[in-house]
Amino acid sequence: MAIRLTIPISDDSIRSLKVGQSVLLSGIMLTGRDAAHKWIVDTFIKKTRPPQGDDLEVFQAIQPLLNGGIIYHCGPVVAGLDTGHYRFVAAGPTTSIREEPYQGDVMRLFNLKGVIGKGGMGEQTLRACQEVPAVYFHAIGGAASLIAQTVQRVLGVYKLEFGVPEAMWVIEVKDFPAVVTMDAQGNSLHEKVRQESNAILENLLA
Amino acid sequence: MRDLTQEILELIRFTSTNLPEDVEKALREAYAREEPGSAAHGALETILANVEMTRRNSTPICQDTGTPIFFVCYPEGWSPRRLREQIKEAVALATRKNYLRPNAVDSLSGKNTGDNLGDQHFPVIHFEECDGEELTIELMLKGGGCENVGRQYSLPDNTIKAGRDLEGVRRAALDAVWQAQGEGCAPGFLGISIGGDRGTSYIASKEALLRRVDDANPNPELADLEERITREANQLGIGPMGFGGKATVLGTKITTTHRLPASFFVTVSYMCWAYRRRKMTVRGEQVTYE
């Protein structure tokens, strides 16, 4: 049975989640992928570039949404670009490992309770999951139209100049399906599968 | 020359929203093999529900509608220059209709063009003048997740003990599948090219993916190798989405191209489960899709 979680999610709820559990997420989340993560890290963590344009305003607007919240690694297909009445048409997860250099710091900065993506993440993110605490939710890659059906409303968008896929979309979801594959106790299904498959590979290449 | 813009738009819609039957069949068979109640089983169930939904609703199977790769075979008398214009127009229209996500990004400025029209290499269009009266356009939409896990090996490669023979090809292919784990949206399909230079080898590996899932390689030695790579890749237990499970690779297609004496490339193009490729054929006034 899937566990229902409402965003913002409490630390206790997060700590109780275990690798392998199915969840249904409801509430408000933000999409964010390569450009967004690099922008956050460069501007507000490493501070290698000064804030420009609406950077500070956007930061203040997303901060309360991300406190106890979730970033979804997703570059959606969005209808209504000409009218501003946005609707998600297709919105599956993108590969998360590209955010590995940034994710842990971004989790700590905002007190994120989770990220949703596909393919899993590495050691640095797993460590941050234990500290913050947070978990990694795995959505089904490619199941884009099905997942888009769980997006009830598009509440807004930040940094649309990054392009439609890279912008930060604020969405309200209901019963968004995912599986916990990295938990706050330091367990990673991805690490387990990697190690087990490596032993088999060595046999096949012996 | 006839204007095919609307027909090409339909090819794009069809490709983005309607998974080919042979691919769906392979996914259904994989679903039947996974343990009920497992994460792998659940993933394939969701995948198949999505496939049915997108066919019904005419929405993209995957939000990453990928690099549009066209293979055009035109009879004498057609103008590739004008066909290119029509393809580009159709791509921009398909983007406006949300069959495609705007995916063309300037590599220096990071700016997305918004209509999937980039420089002369985006969309990708391969032209070939062919015998006969038929014009065919094959379209493959290849997403970034699976494109990123493609690999090219220059044999001999001592790290995987791969020499310049079919055993070396097997080693490279299994290594590529292991490296990819679930990141390429397993269960996937492998297009493998042996030979060529680096560039042609990658192109040939994608052309291999135009073959049907259920066909057999006419070369018996390569047919055996295709079967063996698929079987052994599944023994790795990576499974759908990398959750662990039986279905990791649902098909392998191998092709060869001539190489330099000095070079022996093995190129593995990984195709995600959302294996989107369709074909349109123009015969006189008639246009058909498959």
Side-chain angles (χ1 to χ4, degrees):
Chain A
M1 272 305 282
I3 299 164
R4 288 199 143 79
L5 293 169
T6 304
I7 307 162
I9 308 173
S10 72
D11 286 2
D12 285 348
S13 299
I14 285 297
R15 284 203 189 90
S16 72
L17 293 174
K18 298 207 163 47
V19 159
Q21 283 175 333
S22 296
V23 298
L24 294 168
L25 300 161
S26 298
I28 295 169
M29 61 172 76
L30 255 75
T31 69
R33 42 180 289 171
D34 309 70
H37 281 80
K38 188 171 191 310
W39 169 73
I40 291 166
V41 169
D42 289 354
T43 318
F44 303 105
I45 297 174
K46 286 190 183 160
K47 298 181 178 162
T48 52
R49 71 182 272 285
Q52 297 161 20
D54 64 355
D55 283 357
L56 290 171
E57 265 166 72
V58 172
F59 185 76
Q60 288 190 348
I62 65 173
Q63 219 173 10
L65 295 171
L66 293 178
N67 187 4
I70 286 178
I71 290 180
Y72 179 25
H73 299 155
C74 170
V77 175
V78 184
L81 292 171
D82 40 356
T83 60
H85 298 294
Y86 302 122
R87 184 173 56 81
F88 272 28
V89 176
T94 192
T95 310
S96 300
I97 196 69
R98 298 192 306 271
E99 316 318 332
E100 181 63 14
Y102 314 114
Q103 197 67 73
D105 290 340
V106 171
M107 279 178 162
R108 291 184 191 97
L109 179 70
F110 291 111
N111 183 38
L112 279 184
K113 291 299 110 184
V115 293
I116 310 171
K118 72 171 176 83
M121 301 192 73
E123 269 177 41
Q124 296 174 59
T125 303
L126 190 60
R127 210 175 311 129
C129 282
Q130 292 169 266
E131 287 169 27
V132 175
V135 299
Y136 179 81
F137 296 107
H138 200 300
I140 304 303
S145 286
L146 200 95
I147 293 173
Q149 303 267 316
T150 70
V151 179
Q152 308 280 294
R153 285 192 299 162
V154 180
L155 302 172
V157 60
Y158 296 106
K159 294 289 174 192
L160 192 50
E161 68 265 29
F162 290 165
V164 170
E166 298 278 0
M168 285 182 282
W169 296 90
V170 186
I171 54 175
E172 187 179 348
V173 302
K174 185 161 189 301
D175 293 340
F176 181 113
V179 179
V180 177
T181 56
M182 293 164 63
D183 64 26
Q185 280 75 48
N187 302 302
S188 166
L189 176 64
H190 306 286
E191 192 44 40
K192 180 172 170 278
V193 171
R194 180 174 285 272
Q195 282 178 14
E196 288 173 2
S197 58
N198 189 40
I200 299 163
L201 180 72
E202 280 177 10
N203 268 332
L204 288 169
L205 299 188
Chain B
M1 196 187 102
R2 181 171 172 190
D3 184 343
L4 292 173
T5 306
Q6 290 303 317
E7 286 77 7
I8 298 166
L9 172 64
E10 170 56 15
L11 174 68
I12 298 168
R13 186 202 66 80
F14 192 42
T15 310
S16 177
T17 65
N18 195 324
L19 196 73
E21 296 71 19
D22 58 332
V23 178
E24 186 177 353
K25 182 165 171 282
L27 287 166
R28 289 200 182 279
E29 288 164 1
Y31 174 64
R33 285 194 300 270
E34 296 291 354
E35 209 62 53
S38 65
H41 194 260
L44 284 166
E45 189 174 334
T46 303
I47 284 168
L48 288 164
N50 184 64
V51 165
E52 284 174 18
M53 179 184 284
T54 62
R55 189 173 288 144
R56 204 167 52 236
N57 298 350
S58 203
T59 51
I61 296 163
C62 179
Q63 80 290 337
D64 186 0
T65 56
T67 307
I69 310 171
F70 292 89
F71 297 89
V72 183
C73 205
Y74 62 97
E76 199 178 334
W78 288 73
S79 158
R81 183 178 53 81
R82 286 169 68 184
L83 281 167
R84 179 182 294 276
E85 283 165 11
Q86 292 169 18
I87 287 171
K88 287 171 77 171
E89 176 64 20
V91 163
L93 276 171
T95 312
R96 223 173 302 151
K97 288 177 175 287
N98 298 313
Y99 301 138
L100 297 179
R101 185 179 72 182
N103 265 356
V105 177
D106 184 294
S107 291
L108 292 183
S109 69
K111 193 171 157 44
N112 192 315
T113 63
D115 58 6
N116 268 308
L117 302 182
D119 55 20
Q120 74 272 27
H121 296 297
F122 203 112
V124 179
I125 311 174
H126 300 285
F127 283 107
E128 180 78 28
E129 186 173 313
C130 299
D131 288 335
E133 300 297 311
E134 283 181 3
L135 178 137
T136 62
I137 303 179
E138 287 177 276
L139 169 61
M140 180 182 289
L141 297 175
K142 193 163 188 301
C146 68
E147 184 65 3
N148 284 353
V149 298
R151 297 183 95 83
Q152 189 166 67
Y153 298 82
S154 177
L155 304 192
D157 183 332
N158 208 27
T159 59
I160 53 169
K161 298 191 174 58
R164 291 184 160 191
D165 49 27
L166 292 186
E167 169 60 10
V169 175
R170 183 185 73 93
R171 288 172 167 268
L174 292 175
D175 182 70
V177 172
W178 183 78
Q179 301 276 358
Q181 292 288 309
E183 286 169 26
C185 273
F189 298 83
L190 306 177
I192 300 176
S193 161
I194 309 169
D197 66 10
R198 287 189 183 273
T200 54
S201 197
Y202 264 117
I203 293 170
S205 70
K206 291 201 172 75
E207 280 175 343
L209 288 167
L210 293 174
R211 282 171 50 195
R212 279 184 64 91
V213 173
D214 50 11
D215 75 356
N217 198 309
N219 177 324
E221 227 182 345
L222 292 183
D224 284 350
L225 185 60
E226 289 177 354
E227 193 272 329
R228 185 175 175 192
I229 288 170
T230 301
R231 180 166 37 87
E232 292 185 344
N234 287 327
Q235 289 172 15
L236 293 174
I238 293 166
M241 293 296 125
F243 287 168
K246 292 170 186 155
T248 302
V249 168
L250 301 182
T252 302
K253 305 292 168 188
I254 304 176
T255 189
T256 64
T257 57
H258 280 77
R259 60 179 177 83
L260 292 181
S263 299
F264 195 112
F265 295 112
V266 175
T267 305
V268 183
S269 273
Y270 191 107
M271 177 59 92
C272 60
W273 70 257
Y275 184 178
R276 290 153 289 173
R277 47 129 167 74
R278 290 288 186 178
K279 181 179 182 181
M280 67 180 262
T281 305
V282 182
R283 292 181 201 87
E285 286 303 299
Q286 199 191 10
V287 181
T288 54
Y289 298 90
E290 61 190 279

